[in-house]
Amino acid sequence: KQEVTQIPAALSVPEGENLVLNCSFTDSAIYNLQWFRQDPGKGLTSLLLIQSSQREQTSGRLNASLDKSSGRSTLYIAASQPGDSATYLCAVRHNYGGSQGNLIFGKGTKLSVKP
Amino acid sequence: EADIYQTPRYLVIGTGKKITLECSQTMGHDKMYWYQQDPGMELHLIHYSYGVNSTEKGDLSSESTVSRIRTEHFPLTLESARPSHTSQYLCASSGRGSYNEQFFGPGTRLTVL
């Protein structure tokens, strides 16, 4: 059974710092991996999607990497801002021999960026 | 920008009432999902649909039911609400042409008294 773990559970940094959020998964047979952001009491916003054949994806100050063989992904946030404060969720979609399963979510990393 | 809508955004209701949470998307996505999320906890998939007239139960057992009569509409119904149903309910959709990238609605926060 696929399990997704995110470390750390919470992170507090001063504004301007570069930071890395970690995600690990137990089964490397994934179709893709998606990073989301969730603000308190709100829905999820898709940040980046990495296909299993890709190594990284970039969007603005965000860069996500994927090492499928080791079951790891990282989300790098450059020059953090108070507006980046949110919970960041990692989710993997399993690959069942060509057909895709549903997303399996981690518990998230709660990020707080202090001005 | 994803176009997926949920109504109501907030609902406070008494025990025993029947409720329907609405979810609609305008992207023509064939796949739709319902998740349940308690405060500070992870998302759990409770229902999903891969197309019209197709519905399946998710990983977390739920007393709710769903229907998919139209592609764009995926309502969730609780026949008799109980305090244990108090939670946030999130609807999502994904399409074939975008590597199944999943887009979420704003959520419905349900409180059953």
Side-chain angles (χ1 to χ4, degrees):
Chain A
K1 180 187 173 186
Q2 180 73 272
E3 292 183 4
V4 180
T5 303
Q6 291 188 246
I7 295 172
L11 182 62
S12 181
V13 299
E15 182 177 4
E17 272 204 7
N18 302 325
L19 55 99
V20 175
L21 308 181
N22 297 292
C23 172
S24 61
F25 45 95
T26 54
D27 189 338
S28 61
I30 64 169
Y31 178 69
N32 60 30
L33 182 146
Q34 204 167 345
W35 280 95
F36 294 90
R37 167 188 174 137
Q38 185 175 31
D39 293 288
K42 303 286 180 61
L44 277 65
T45 300
S46 178
L47 297 174
L48 290 163
L49 181 147
I50 309 179
Q51 284 297 99
S52 61
S53 57
Q54 297 175 322
R55 297 284 293 180
E56 65 178 338
Q57 281 286 340
T58 298
S59 175
R61 293 183 294 109
L62 305 179
N63 176 278
S65 68
L66 174 64
D67 184 344
K68 198 175 74 162
S69 61
S70 66
R72 293 180 187 174
S73 176
T74 61
L75 179 67
Y76 175 82
I77 303 177
S80 58
Q81 303 169 358
D84 295 330
S85 298
T87 296
Y88 290 81
L89 295 162
C90 167
V92 300
R93 185 181 298 278
H94 201 78
N95 185 357
Y96 292 107
S99 64
Q100 294 83 47
N102 295 312
L103 282 177
I104 306 296
F105 283 84
K107 293 184 178 182
T109 293
K110 186 174 182 180
L111 173 66
S112 175
V113 181
K114 306 293 186 185
Chain B
E1 187 73 21
D3 294 320
I4 181 164
Y5 308 99
Q6 290 186 244
T7 58
R9 292 291 315 280
Y10 304 92
L11 180 61
V12 180
I13 202 163
T15 297
K17 300 290 186 182
K18 177 180 179 179
I19 59 170
T20 297
L21 308 185
E22 301 287 350
C23 176
S24 296
Q25 48 94 7
T26 58
M27 298 170 282
H29 285 168
D30 51 343
K31 297 177 183 175
M32 296 189 74
Y33 312 82
W34 276 104
Y35 293 87
Q36 185 174 340
Q37 185 183 32
D38 293 327
M41 303 297 288
E42 67 261 55
L43 278 77
H44 290 287
L45 182 67
I46 52 175
H47 298 283
Y48 61 98
S49 166
Y50 283 0
V52 171
N53 295 324
S54 157
T55 61
E56 301 286 345
K57 290 189 180 296
D59 305 320
L60 182 68
S61 175
S62 173
E63 294 169 349
S64 58
T65 59
V66 292
S67 62
R68 189 90 182 275
I69 298 172
R70 303 196 319 260
T71 298
E72 63 271 21
H73 194 215
F74 191 40
L76 180 145
T77 298
L78 277 164
E79 290 293 333
S80 180
R82 294 207 298 270
S84 61
H85 297 140
T86 294
S87 189
Q88 172 149 279
Y89 293 84
L90 294 164
C91 180
S93 71
S94 65
R96 289 188 202 127
S98 56
Y99 301 114
N100 281 323
E101 183 174 6
Q102 206 159 111
F103 298 97
F104 280 76
T108 294
R109 180 163 297 282
L110 172 65
T111 302
V112 184
L113 303 176

